[in-house]
Each structure stands twice: as structure tokens, then as C-alpha cells.
Amino acid sequence: MFEFVLGLASMSCCVSTTCSSSPSLPNYARNHPRVASPTRISCSKRKKSSDNWEAQELVRHLTRKISDKEPLVKTLNKYVKILRTEHCFLLFEELGKEDKWLQCIEVFRWMQKQRWYIADNGIYSKLISIMGRKGQIRMAMWLFSEMRNTGCRPDTSVYNAVITAHLHSSDKTKALSKAISYFEKMKATQRCKPNIVTYNILLRAFAHSRNVDQVNSLFKDLDESIVSPDIYTFNGVMDAYGKNGMIREMESVLARMKSSQCKPDLITFNLLIDSYGKKQQFDKMEQVFKSLLRSKEKPTLPTFNSMILNYGRARLRDKAENVFKKMTDMGYTPSFITHESLIYMYGFCDCISRAIELFDGLVQSKSQIKVSTLNAMLDVYCINGLPQEAYSLFERARSIQVCPHSSTYKLLYKAYTKANQKELLDKLLKHMDKDGIIPNKRFFLDALGAVASLPANSQSAGATTDSSSANSESANAATDSNNPQDFAKLATHVKVFLTHP
């Protein structure tokens, strides 16, 4: 397996050199006038591109017009003469990005009343996908049912959307069972045969759930079908195994990838580097990085950020700083995530002064400080047993043009609870009340993890999340608990908050 890691570069560099010689275009066009038609193709493409741009501009204009002050349907009616299916499709995408799934349904209902509307699998597939991403599984299934009632026959893309929607459910066991049930139904229906997208969705899902037997079964099924795996197949499964720390299983898929003659891409290299780094298998991580440098691919900032952070977790400051130096020597400009990785690295390596120096340097440079960067510095203070310094930085956040996010409050609440800092916790609650931050069940449940976990000095590094996810995921990343003791602790936290003056 390790030999294959060494051979990644040669695989990546293997490019077919077979090509037929062809005459120069000008001479060939003169001698063969029928071939000289690229102008018409170019114009057609240009017109299509122009139409797409105009449609996107109209949709952007519409999304700016949509507000709580005016009903959505009223806004759509103003543009009824020019709006068509393609505009509504783009509107679904924009509203989906903004978590406005209810408005997607409003647009869909409006569409159905228009003369030009024709029930289409693509529309239903898109809406089912959006509902699934937003956790609205019942709404997704209602759309699936309505689609069939309108006379549309489900195809592969619709079933793929339905499977994906179920996989967004909080009950993963039930979701995976449903997914396999739909998969079997697809195999039995001629016009809904699973395609590579179907296999990729299921393989990644079962790899995430650590179900190795089911992953192997799906690969066996894939081998026996007419569908061929692609780079997304292997990358998806390896990434899932890697995130779960299942290195042996990840390497097994890597070997399968080699036997399929599928060449690694940048994502392959990056996920291998990150997976080996998180498991502190630095010899393999470094070999993959060397293979990447020898390949036709080039490292990206996430490549270096991952190595810096993982060396930091292992308290290998010199190696992390060498990676940063190599990165700048190669002409890369550090991003805010790079700075966050360095801040965490210094925090893990007990170099709190260097982390402070780096953060202060960013502030003095007048560059926009991200909330996630503020969170990284606060977290470093907390994992190094400096809760008072963390609170001081929190209080001056607005003076450096950073508005704390709900994830910031959650981070500090968890840290102060863990450190039994009742006075700071009380001050934080006052700030939350003043800033209108209303904690929900998930907020308190996440804090329970701090109460039940080990002391900060034993596993502080392992308990800290990546800086890149501190702002986006920490506000939502909590698991429900059915433990009565957990609910008792939760009740205590809620009581403290509610009785707070």
C-alpha cells in the first residue's frame, strides 16, 4: 500500500501522447469550405451564454426585490410576461442558498398556475434536493408523491434526489435503510437504473457510517453493472473513511482506485494528506506531499493549511513553520484560514505569545478580521487555561470591527462551563441577553459535552475543532441525548439562563 502512495505521482503524470497530425486550420479551411463553420458555432454559444447571463441577471434582480414587505407572488406577477421555467429554476437555486425553502414552494405553486408550465422531472428533482438539504424530508416526500400524481414518471435523477434527501435525516440508521430500499427499487425498474451518481451517493453515505460490509457490497454491485466508477467514487469513499480515521479501509479503496486505472486528482492528494495528518502518520503524509509536488497537480492553500494544523496538533512546531515557509517560498499568499491554522498551531504548541503576535499583526494590518479568526484566538486562550484573556478579547471584538457570532458565544459558554468559571459565565450571559442571543436546546446540549469531558489539560488539542469550521459548524454541531442525566444537566443550564437577571 505504501508503495502505491509513492507511485501516485507517476499515475498522475501518465498522459496519453497518441495524437493524429492535422493540417493547419487556415489552409485546411480554404481547401474544405464545409469545415470552415466555427463562426456559426461560436455565435450560437455566444447567444446561449448571453441568454444565460440575462436570465441570471433577472433572477438576481428578483431576489433583491423579494422582501417581507411585499408578498412573493405579487413580485412574481409583476414579471409574469417574461418569467419562464428557466428563471424559476435559477430562482429555486438562489432561494435554496438563502435557506428560504418555503418561498421555493411559493414559486413552485405560482409556476403551476402559468399557461406555459409543464410538469417536469427536473423541477421536482431540484425541489426535492433543496428540501432535503434543508432537512425538510416530509416536504421532499410530498413533492415526490405529487410528481407521480401529475403523471410524471420518476427517473434516475429523481430517485437520486429522494435518496439524498433521506440521507439528510437526523435518524441515519433509518435513512440508510430507506436509501437501500430505493436503490433496490431502481435496479428493478428499467427507466430508473442506478447511475454512477447513485453509487457515489450511497458509497459515501455508508463509508461515513463506517459500514464497511455495505461499501464492499456496493463496490461488488458496481463491478457487476455496466456503470464504471469515476474519480468522485473513490474520492468520496476515501474522504469519508479518512474523516472517520479508518486508514486501512481508506488505503483499500486507494488500491481499488489503482486497479481501475483511475488517476488521482488534487482532491485525492489533499484528502490523503489530511487523513494521514490527522492520524499523525506523518511519514505517509510527507510522501504523498512529495508525490503531489512531482505530479502534474499543484498544491493549494488547503494542502498547506492541513499540514500546518496537523503538525500543530502533534506539537511539531518546527515542521509546521517549515511548511508555512515552503508555502510562501512557492509564491502562495496566506488566506485567513492559513492564519487560523497558524494561531491554532501555536496554541497547541504552548506558544501563546506567538499566536497573540500573529493575531495582533492581523488587526494592525487593517485587514478584515473574520469571526472564525476571532473564534480561533479565543479558543487558543481557553485551551491554554486563559479564560480571562479570552473574555478581554471578546469584549474588545467590536472595537476591531468584528461582531461576535452565535458560535463565539457557544465556544465561550462551553469553555467557561468546563473551567467552572461562574463569574465569567454570568458576564457572558449578560452579553447574550444584551445582544439578543437566545440559546436553544442544541446550545445547551453542546455545553454538556464540556461538563462531561476530561479536564482541559488532558485532551484539549483533540477536543478542538478545525479553525475553518469554527464559524460555520459550531453553532449547529450538537447531538441529541436521551440520557436522563444529560437532561438533568440541561435543565440546570436552562434554569441558570432563565433566572439570570
Side-chain angles (χ1 to χ4, degrees):
M1 178 50 57
F2 193 58
E3 286 75 10
F4 178 50
V5 172
L6 291 172
L8 277 171
S10 58
M11 276 182 67
S12 182
C13 289
C14 289
V15 180
S16 175
T17 55
T18 306
C19 62
S20 58
S21 59
S22 59
S24 63
L25 185 59
N27 293 334
Y28 190 66
R30 277 197 298 272
N31 296 331
H32 302 79
R34 288 186 182 181
V35 180
S37 58
T39 308
R40 275 185 299 220
I41 296 171
S42 175
C43 286
S44 173
K45 286 183 178 178
R46 238 191 332 264
K47 185 178 184 301
K48 189 174 180 181
S49 176
S50 174
D51 289 345
N52 287 339
W53 182 84
E54 286 175 6
Q56 288 168 359
E57 277 299 299
L58 176 58
V59 168
R60 276 193 284 268
H61 177 72
L62 267 174
T63 51
R64 286 193 295 268
K65 287 277 185 182
I66 293 170
S67 68
D68 296 331
K69 296 177 182 177
E70 183 175 274
L72 174 59
V73 172
K74 189 176 178 181
T75 305
L76 294 173
N77 284 335
K78 288 179 180 178
Y79 299 88
V80 68
K81 291 183 179 180
I82 53 175
L83 282 175
R84 292 295 181 268
T85 302
E86 60 269 24
H87 301 111
C88 294
F89 202 86
L90 290 170
L91 195 52
F92 291 147
E93 289 184 357
E94 290 300 317
L95 292 172
K97 289 175 189 174
E98 298 174 16
D99 293 340
K100 295 178 179 177
W101 62 270
L102 268 174
Q103 290 187 326
C104 286
I105 298 298
E106 281 189 73
V107 174
F108 177 59
R109 282 306 191 199
W110 180 85
M111 279 180 72
Q112 290 178 309
K113 296 174 184 176
Q114 307 311 309
R115 291 180 180 179
W116 46 260
Y117 174 75
I118 300 172
D120 176 73
N121 279 4
I123 295 169
Y124 282 103
S125 179
K126 185 67 179 177
L127 284 168
I128 290 168
S129 295
I130 291 170
M131 296 304 132
R133 285 202 307 271
K134 303 310 169 189
Q136 303 299 322
I137 313 303
R138 287 185 181 180
M139 186 61 75
M141 295 314 297
W142 173 79
L143 285 162
F144 184 52
S145 175
E146 180 171 287
M147 183 198 75
R148 288 177 291 181
N149 292 339
T150 59
C152 289
R153 297 169 62 195
D155 58 13
T156 301
S157 67
V158 172
Y159 272 108
N160 286 346
V162 170
I163 290 172
T164 305
H166 276 294
L167 292 173
H168 280 95
S169 169
S170 56
D171 187 345
K172 295 303 178 189
T173 303
K174 185 178 178 181
L176 291 167
S177 175
K178 284 272 189 184
I180 283 295
S181 173
Y182 281 115
F183 176 66
E184 293 301 331
K185 191 179 291 187
M186 290 173 74
K187 288 199 292 182
T189 309
Q190 187 59 41
R191 67 190 304 274
C192 299
K193 294 294 182 186
N195 59 13
I196 191 57
V197 176
T198 317
Y199 283 100
N200 289 354
I201 292 166
L202 291 170
L203 282 165
R204 186 178 179 88
F206 280 103
H208 267 299
S209 69
R210 300 171 178 265
N211 192 332
V212 179
D213 290 340
Q214 188 62 64
V215 169
N216 291 337
S217 174
L218 283 165
F219 266 126
K220 185 172 182 289
D221 196 291
L222 180 58
D223 290 339
E224 293 170 356
S225 74
I226 60 170
V227 180
S228 300
D230 58 18
I231 188 67
Y232 302 104
T233 312
F234 299 111
N235 283 350
V237 179
M238 286 191 291
D239 186 51
Y241 278 148
K243 281 182 167 60
N244 282 331
M246 301 167 71
I247 299 300
R248 185 182 300 173
E249 289 78 8
M250 181 186 76
E251 291 179 337
S252 172
V253 177
L254 194 60
R256 186 186 288 269
M257 179 178 167
K258 179 186 178 184
S259 65
S260 297
Q261 300 299 308
C262 189
K263 298 171 188 174
D265 63 5
L266 180 60
I267 293 172
T268 314
F269 286 109
N270 279 352
L271 72 87
L272 289 172
I273 286 169
D274 193 53
S275 300
Y276 285 133
K278 283 178 178 173
K279 293 296 285 186
Q280 298 192 7
Q281 295 186 15
F282 294 122
D283 53 346
K284 291 186 179 182
M285 183 188 82
E286 288 160 7
Q287 274 310 162
V288 174
F289 182 64
K290 287 177 183 175
S291 296
L292 171 57
L293 293 178
R294 291 195 299 267
S295 75
K296 64 176 183 179
E297 305 288 352
K298 297 297 177 189
T300 55
L301 284 175
T303 316
F304 298 105
N305 296 342
S306 169
M307 295 176 74
I308 290 167
L309 193 59
N310 287 319
Y311 275 137
R313 283 197 177 105
R315 302 169 72 87
L316 297 172
R317 176 184 167 181
D318 289 344
K319 289 208 168 193
E321 289 181 329
N322 285 338
V323 170
F324 181 68
K325 183 177 183 302
K326 186 172 188 65
M327 185 190 95
T328 52
D329 288 347
M330 290 175 69
Y332 291 86
T333 303
S335 68
F336 72 94
I337 296 177
T338 310
H339 292 132
E340 290 166 13
S341 300
L342 287 165
I343 287 169
Y344 267 116
M345 181 271 290
Y346 286 124
F348 293 143
C349 295
D350 298 328
C351 300
I352 189 72
S353 60
R354 290 286 291 119
I356 295 169
E357 182 184 330
L358 176 56
F359 184 80
D360 287 347
L362 292 172
V363 173
Q364 290 164 14
S365 69
K366 303 297 182 184
S367 58
Q368 179 63 47
I369 305 296
K370 302 276 187 182
V371 175
S372 55
T373 310
L374 171 69
N375 288 357
M377 192 64 238
L378 291 170
D379 207 8
V380 163
Y381 275 132
C382 292
I383 63 177
N384 281 277
L386 299 168
Q388 188 60 59
E389 284 78 357
Y391 189 76
S392 297
L393 174 58
F394 169 74
E395 286 214 304
R396 69 181 179 95
R398 284 183 172 80
S399 69
I400 57 174
Q401 308 303 311
V402 187
C403 183
H405 183 263
S406 59
S407 60
T408 313
Y409 292 97
K410 193 178 214 177
L411 183 156
L412 291 174
Y413 190 96
K414 183 175 180 178
Y416 294 157
T417 303
K418 190 173 185 176
N420 199 26
Q421 293 284 334
K422 294 180 181 178
E423 186 181 340
L424 290 176
L425 197 57
D426 189 60
K427 288 181 179 179
L428 184 68
L429 290 172
K430 286 180 181 178
H431 267 288
M432 289 172 68
D433 188 45
K434 179 183 173 184
D435 295 341
I437 303 294
I438 302 173
N440 56 16
K441 178 183 173 183
R442 291 191 172 206
F443 184 100
F444 291 115
L445 280 172
D446 195 54
L448 292 180
V451 177
S453 64
L454 294 172
N457 60 357
S458 62
Q459 289 197 2
S460 59
T464 306
T465 58
D466 290 357
S467 59
S468 61
S469 65
N471 186 31
S472 61
E473 293 183 13
S474 59
N476 298 315
T479 56
D480 288 338
S481 171
N482 292 319
N483 188 330
Q485 292 181 343
D486 284 350
F487 280 113
K489 291 175 185 176
L490 174 59
T492 302
H493 279 268
V494 173
K495 186 178 178 181
V496 168
F497 183 80
L498 292 177
T499 57
H500 177 74

